[in-house]
Amino acid sequence: MIVKEVIILSNYLRNEGMSVSIRSNLVASWIIENLSDDFNLNELNNALKSVYVKNIDDMELFDKIFNKLFIKSKKENTKNNEKLNTNDTNQQNSIHSKKEILDIESEQNKLKKDQQRKKVIEEKISNDSIVQLDGYDHKVFEMCRKLSKKIANQRSKRQRNNKSSNKINFSRTIRTNLKNGGHFINLVHKKPPIHKNNHIFLCDVSGSCEWIATWFFAIIYGCQQTFNKIKIYDFDNKIIDVSDTLEAKSYESASQISSAHRSKGVLTFGQSDMTNSFKEFLDTVEINNHTDIILLTDCRDWTGKRENGELESAKILENISRKAHKVIILNPERKIRWKTSTSCVKDYEKINIPIYEIGSLDQFANVISKL
């Protein structure tokens, strides 16, 4: 049975965006019913915190809510042994209940304001330029987690919907309904073909794209289970396979991701040598008509050479796109900068490579969820 304190506590925690399960509430109720007499407030706080808090960033939030709900001393809450007559007790309980209701309503209003403030901050982070995000801010990393969960849910829902079909499998329907005298009582629908593509992410980690590639990895890491087969390569003047870093149990900050990639030999070259990187990619990576390639780059091929007006890296990318099922480019720069003389966007558009602007985390998530 879930006690009243746990119901109020879980309601506040959910309003603040924390994940609260029924199992957590049952464990918390058992703790309060069986151990609260033996625990002081600090010990009770730690016990409940071990049940509810899954993320280090929520520790302060939990303490704040706990203090508001359990501020009374245990003597006042659990060990009041004074004998009162029935009328006095009912009157006191009535006054106490009214005060509790007013206190709860007041706290709910405060929590709603805090929640609205938190929502505004999250919207600002998700819509801000991805280049300006602070790599050491836990709030930004937490936003990547939320977006990953959102992408995973959208992709899983789409995959489930793709498994159903409105077309009838007549041969199986006839065989199934022989027992019904040939009357089509039970219809058997066709199962649509399942197309399982391999996804290869090729990320530019030159000076201008290093942090962007880190946020990109953070989002992909969170929703990797919804992809069939996934590989990630970083490149500046050569390609490096960093797919193994997806197998880590967890990442708590963007700096941990950067360190994991550096351990694989990723060092920012300053300027991208896209010609050399694309050549190596074409020669060493297995590409077929079941391969989707997602290229993250700002399309600045500073060392690229032209022959008869054609960019060398664009020619190689065209060869890659012929072998692959699909190639798309995600460009973190605003579209207004795609028209500058140093941008190679026009060269890649000539070979019919779709290019998407992903200047914010929201734009990032929208493109990835549709892959």
Side-chain angles (χ1 to χ4, degrees), residues 59-323:
M59 300 272 278
E60 186 178 342
L61 173 64
F62 180 86
D63 287 338
K64 178 182 174 183
I65 295 174
F66 178 89
N67 290 335
K68 288 178 179 178
L69 294 178
F70 296 90
I71 197 65
K72 295 179 181 180
S73 67
K74 295 181 70 180
K75 288 182 181 179
E76 292 175 340
N77 285 323
T78 61
K79 292 185 177 180
N80 185 6
N81 294 322
E82 295 179 1
K83 294 182 179 180
L84 299 172
N85 60 52
T86 306
N87 292 334
D88 290 342
T89 301
N90 291 337
Q91 186 179 4
Q92 186 176 355
N93 286 341
S94 176
I95 295 170
H96 183 68
S97 298
K98 289 179 181 178
K99 187 176 184 303
E100 272 190 342
I101 291 170
L102 290 173
D103 289 343
I104 290 172
E105 288 179 350
S106 175
E107 294 303 328
Q108 281 182 332
N109 290 332
K110 289 179 183 178
L111 288 172
K112 281 181 182 177
K113 289 180 181 178
D114 290 341
Q115 193 175 7
Q116 289 172 353
R117 196 179 302 114
K118 185 178 179 181
K119 187 177 179 181
V120 169
I121 293 172
E122 288 183 349
E123 286 178 354
K124 186 177 186 303
I125 291 172
S126 62
N127 292 315
D128 269 355
S129 171
I130 201 168
V131 181
Q132 298 175 355
L133 296 179
D134 184 357
Y136 299 95
D137 189 345
H138 285 288
K139 294 188 186 72
V140 182
F141 200 76
E142 189 59 33
M143 273 299 303
C144 288
R145 290 185 199 229
K146 288 185 178 181
L147 289 173
S148 295
K149 189 179 289 188
K150 178 182 175 183
I151 292 169
N153 289 338
Q154 288 175 343
R155 284 180 54 79
S156 296
K157 184 178 179 180
R158 190 171 72 244
Q159 288 167 1
R160 285 196 303 271
N161 291 339
N162 288 341
K163 290 180 181 178
S164 60
S165 172
N166 292 323
K167 294 182 180 179
I168 296 173
N169 187 327
F170 284 102
S171 58
R172 291 194 63 189
T173 298
I174 291 170
R175 288 197 299 272
T176 301
N177 287 280
L178 286 175
K179 61 183 178 182
N180 300 320
H183 298 289
F184 287 179
I185 295 175
N186 299 315
L187 299 180
V188 180
H189 292 86
K190 288 183 179 179
K191 292 183 178 179
I194 299 174
H195 302 289
K196 290 188 175 181
N197 287 348
N198 304 328
H199 291 84
I200 299 178
F201 297 93
L202 187 59
C203 305
D204 188 347
V205 291
S206 61
S208 58
C209 292
E210 182 186 9
W211 273 119
I212 299 162
T214 302
W215 296 129
F216 182 73
F217 180 89
I219 290 175
I220 295 300
Y221 174 82
C223 61
Q224 59 179 301
Q225 300 301 327
T226 62
F227 290 93
N228 176 37
K229 290 182 181 178
I230 186 170
K231 297 280 284 184
I232 296 186
Y233 293 88
D234 286 348
F235 78 90
D236 48 12
N237 63 331
K238 61 180 181 180
I239 65 168
I240 297 175
D241 188 350
V242 295
S243 305
D244 291 349
T245 55
L246 285 169
E247 297 173 5
K249 289 184 178 179
S250 67
Y251 290 100
E252 299 301 328
S253 67
S255 58
Q256 288 181 356
I257 293 174
S258 298
S259 298
H261 285 204
R262 288 193 187 100
S263 69
K264 294 288 180 181
V266 176
L267 296 172
T268 54
F269 184 63
Q271 293 181 346
S272 303
D273 187 344
M274 299 174 82
T275 301
N276 193 45
S277 299
F278 290 172
K279 259 185 197 173
E280 186 181 353
F281 182 79
L282 183 60
D283 294 339
T284 59
V285 179
E286 183 181 351
I287 306 170
N288 54 45
N289 61 350
H290 291 291
T291 305
D292 289 344
I293 298 170
I294 298 91
L295 176 60
L296 173 71
T297 178
D298 58 359
C299 299
R300 303 280 169 176
D301 189 2
W302 299 102
T303 60
K305 296 179 182 177
R306 293 183 180 274
E307 186 177 337
N308 298 325
E310 293 185 2
L311 187 66
E312 193 174 359
S313 63
K315 283 184 181 180
I316 302 170
L317 190 59
E318 186 175 19
N319 292 333
I320 293 173
S321 68
R322 284 173 182 164
K323 293 181 69 175

